[in-house]
Amino acid sequence: IERLGTPGVAYDLAFHVPSADAAPLVRAIAGARAATGIAGTLGGDVRVTGSFPRLHVDGAVAMPEGTIDGLAFRDASARVDVDAGGLRARGGHVTVGSTRTAFSALYRGDDRGVRLDARYADLADFNDLFDAGDTLGGRGRVALRFVRRGDETRTAADIAIAGLRYRRFDLGDARAAWTSHGRAVVGSIDFGGASGRLAAAGTLVVPRRAPLAEFVRESRFDGSADLDGLDLGVWLPALGYQVPVGGRIDATAQIHGRLGDPAVTTVATVRDGSIGKFPVDRFSVTASSTLDRTTLRELDLELPSVSLVGSGHFGLSPRAPVALTLRATSSDLGALSTRLFGAAYPVTGTADAEVSVDGTRASPRVAGRVDVRSATVRGVAVPEASGAFSLHGRDVVVRDAMLRLGIGSISLDGSVPLEIEPFAFGPPAARIALDFTANDVELSNFAPLLPPGSLLAGRIDGKATVGGTAGAPRLGGSLALASGSLQSPFETVALTDATARLRLDGDSARLDAFHAAAGGGTIDASGSARFADLIDPSSAVAYEFVARADKLRLALPAYGSGTIDGTLSFARLAGRTPTLAGDLRLSDGTIPFSALLVAGGGGEGGFDASAASTAVGPVQAAPPRVAFDLDLSAERNVRVRSANVDIGARGDLHVAGSLASPSLAGGFTSTGGTISYFNTVFRLTNGTVTFQPDAGLIPTLDAVATTHVINPDPNTVRNVAGSADVTLTLNGPVTNLSIGLRSDPSYERQQILGLLLNAPALGASNLFGENRGEATLYGSNSTSNLAPGVAVTRSSAGELSVAQEAFGVANAQFTRTLLAPLETTFAQAVGLSNVNVNVDYTGNVGVSARKVLGKNVNAIYGTSFGYPYRQTFGFEIKQSDSTAAQVTVFQTLGENGLSSQTPTTFLTSTGNPKYNAIQPSAGTAGFSLSLQHLF
């Protein structure tokens, strides 16, 4: 082989290569670079003829199998013809996967040519040439031609792929074809499917001579492109854009000029589109652009409840000028806010906004204006609101901002420095200048923000300013309230004639001259607050506010009503826990019994605590950290009431601890009252409510109450008078009360409950341990043996009539709702401890009174207003709960004998019913002395 280069020698040689490594042969023939990435075996038959340097090589070569850059192929073969003028390959074939491609090539002098033709190509066969994520798919024909003869170049392509896929994106069917002659290339491309179609056609003219780096920029293209239903949800991710935009685009584009700076005119519309949460009703844009500048000729965007139009131009370089104008209109702010925030928001009205952008891309200036008309916000009417703003760099300037309410207006002017990333005030040294002005703002404008049934009035005037710098802002100005009033379902006594002034000075705010009246009383308040950091007002703030009440009448249905006197302060030192302190005195007030149940539910033992409580309204959230130092006093005419409780109270309570762990100490003593139990009114003999510091909010109740009921017991020995006195005792925490019952005459608990429920009237004939017609061992059931007057109230079996039962229920309600309040008021007016009025079924009316003379001595008085008329006067000495003495003097006018009644029948003034039984039942005048000890 080495001798083939000897001049003058003619050769005619035949070579047979059964199998050889292809890489060294390719490297030897075409150079080391050509053999890179080639592996496989090469074989064939070659004939060499002629003499050097005009040798001619002709033959058939084949590679049964091999790889090129990792792509496996097989059955590669071609007829080669090589001489001093160049190389030519004819009739070539190669198979990759299932794709068989025919090829030919020419490299001779200045002539170049390549032909590839795969009629049934499967693009997936070539995926080994790409990374794992960059895969292809699709089947069809691929035919390419490239020929260059001297300075003339011709190219041609005909590609038709069904089911074209790139990565995970199905692009549909594709067809591309072009031909070139000289410097002009005429072609077209059309592909698409369910994700939309793209069709483009045009002519590309390449430069005659240009460096490779400038070849593309200097090429010229004239053509057009059409998009039909292009799915943004498919194509934007395919192009690497992850944005919340969807829909289908129909567009037409015209492209003209050099590829280095083409002129593109586009008309595009979007259908079934969406931008974030907003469906796009209509979107169209007409624009022209180059690589350096885009002109937006018309932008029209229609979203639910808002439309946007715009125009202008902008450049892509940092110093390129920007000039854009946008105008937005909303005909329904409520629907717009629902779209923005994902939930219905109580706002109505219409709005217009204009925004213009100029300057450069690196330093834009933004200016705009917003106008709102016929709006409401949570029911507050805003007939008009407007304002202009501008943004340049870090400065935001607000001008002519005005909020016109139903009565009065609010204006805002000034500038604020901002840092965009991250969004904050700044930089610290930047100046702030804001003016806030309230012009005759009537508070009734904001009444819809309060609960239904509320009344709000008053006028606010003044001006507040914010100056200084972003790092150290300063406050200034003052605001004044005049003729203010407030009434709501939470406080039904109107707060009237309210006046106040708020002064702002540097880093502090001061409340001066707050004054208001309510129910004939007044409240005055003042205070101040100092902020260590106005950027974060909650940090290191110190304040002190003091309120003084003078006969201030309040009525809070959830918490009670009454007249308040005293002072209340709320203060905090910087870094300390706020403290609520004061000395408040309540008089002429009523407190719901539910206030005693604030820490838990009702009691036990048959007492219906749920019936005792009243409906409690929503409790306003209190500050998370508050300490207490409160002295609360119940003075004259303070009562605790509910559906079945009406008790007077007097006492003192100290509240300490904190909101999380309150501590209460003190107690309240009863000044008389009633408790309804089983439709029976019990008059309170004595009662106390005490709070212990270790018990938190739960008080301890200790009370004794008595009542006088008709006694249908047929036993005349045990039931002398035909009536019974029942004593009710309540002891323990209000959340777990212990209920006790005792009676005179003495009965068991079930019998006492039967008396209270009038069980005999319901047919309970065995209530007192005997049946009709049967004798009893401890007394007589004969009606003839009853005391005079007793027979009219019961039958021989001890049963009450329906009328008597109805009278008992009505009398209980009459006593609780009318007699008891009058008794309490009269007793307080004349200085008595209590006064009781009794009415029985026979029509007898009696009055009893009590006056405390000493620690254990009471003066007692009783009188009747029927026939015969009788008065009783005496003294009671009660040494203990088990030992008592009583002396009484009585006088009777009218009939007096066996047929008359004694005051015992209807008077219960002593508080110990057993004393009444020993009063004499006959005579016109006299006295009795009793000493009793209970074992």
Side-chain angles (χ1 to χ4, degrees), residues 818-835:
L818 181 61
L819 292 184
L822 292 176
E823 292 168 357
T824 302
T825 303
F826 178 77
Q828 292 178 349
V830 299
L832 298 176
S833 300
N834 61 57
V835 174

Side-chain angles (χ1 to χ4, degrees), residues 151-462:
D151 293 335
E152 183 181 352
T153 302
R154 292 177 179 271
T155 63
D158 186 3
I159 301 173
I161 301 296
L164 179 63
R165 179 177 56 82
Y166 171 64
R167 295 186 176 180
R168 294 174 300 170
F169 304 105
D170 295 323
L171 305 180
D173 299 335
R175 176 69 186 267
W178 76 79
T179 61
S180 69
H181 181 70
R183 296 187 299 118
V185 180
V186 179
S188 65
I189 184 172
D190 184 351
F191 67 88
S195 60
R197 300 196 65 84
L198 169 63
T203 300
L204 176 67
V205 179
V206 300
R208 185 179 299 277
R209 296 186 182 275
L212 182 61
E214 298 293 329
F215 186 84
V216 175
R217 288 182 57 85
E218 295 300 323
S219 297
R220 179 181 180 87
F221 181 79
D222 294 284
S224 63
D226 293 304
L227 293 177
D228 184 11
L230 191 69
D231 192 342
L232 294 176
V234 174
W235 282 95
L236 287 179
L239 298 175
Y241 297 100
Q242 300 295 330
V243 291
V245 177
R248 292 182 176 270
I249 293 181
D250 298 322
T252 299
Q254 302 291 331
I255 306 173
H256 303 281
R258 294 185 306 109
L259 293 183
D261 188 17
V264 181
T265 302
T266 304
V267 177
T269 60
V270 175
R271 49 188 171 90
D272 301 327
S274 64
I275 301 176
K277 301 177 182 178
F278 288 86
V280 176
D281 295 334
R282 183 180 70 252
F283 176 72
S284 63
V285 60
T286 301
S288 60
S289 63
T290 65
L291 292 182
D292 298 325
R293 176 184 175 124
T294 297
T295 299
L296 190 64
R297 301 185 183 279
E298 183 182 2
L299 172 67
D300 187 0
L301 176 62
E302 186 74 28
L303 304 174
S305 306
V306 63
S307 60
L308 179 70
V309 295
S311 61
H313 62 82
F314 58 90
L316 301 180
S317 65
R319 296 185 179 181
V322 176
L324 291 173
T325 301
L326 300 175
R327 179 182 175 87
T329 302
S330 175
S331 59
D332 190 345
L333 291 177
L336 178 61
S337 64
T338 300
R339 288 287 183 181
L340 286 174
F341 304 112
Y345 194 77
V347 61
T348 63
T350 63
D352 293 320
E354 292 183 0
V355 178
S356 62
V357 183
D358 59 11
T360 65
R361 184 169 175 268
S363 180
R365 294 187 298 268
V366 181
R369 182 176 182 83
V370 178
D371 293 281
V372 178
R373 296 173 302 279
S374 304
T376 62
V377 180
R378 293 190 178 275
V380 177
V382 183
E384 181 182 359
S386 60
F389 65 91
S390 63
L391 171 63
H392 186 208
R394 300 178 184 274
D395 292 329
V396 175
V397 178
V398 180
R399 304 187 316 277
D400 303 326
M402 183 273 294
L403 180 69
R404 185 167 65 84
L405 302 170
I407 303 177
S409 62
I410 299 172
S411 60
L412 178 66
D413 291 280
S415 62
V416 178
L418 295 176
E419 292 180 316
I420 304 301
E421 293 183 0
F423 185 81
F425 289 108
R431 303 293 299 178
I432 298 178
L434 278 178
D435 294 335
F436 171 88
T437 305
N439 301 303
D440 294 329
V441 176
E442 176 59 46
L443 291 181
S444 60
N445 295 319
F446 307 101
L449 299 177
L450 301 179
S454 300
L455 299 176
L456 180 65
R459 189 181 68 253
I460 294 180
D461 292 279

Side-chain angles (χ1 to χ4, degrees), residues 67-94:
T67 60
I68 300 177
D69 291 333
L71 178 66
F73 63 87
R74 68 181 189 277
D75 300 334
S77 64
R79 183 78 182 181
V80 298
D81 187 352
V82 182
D83 57 21
L87 170 67
R88 181 176 184 179
R90 297 167 299 170
H93 292 86
V94 64

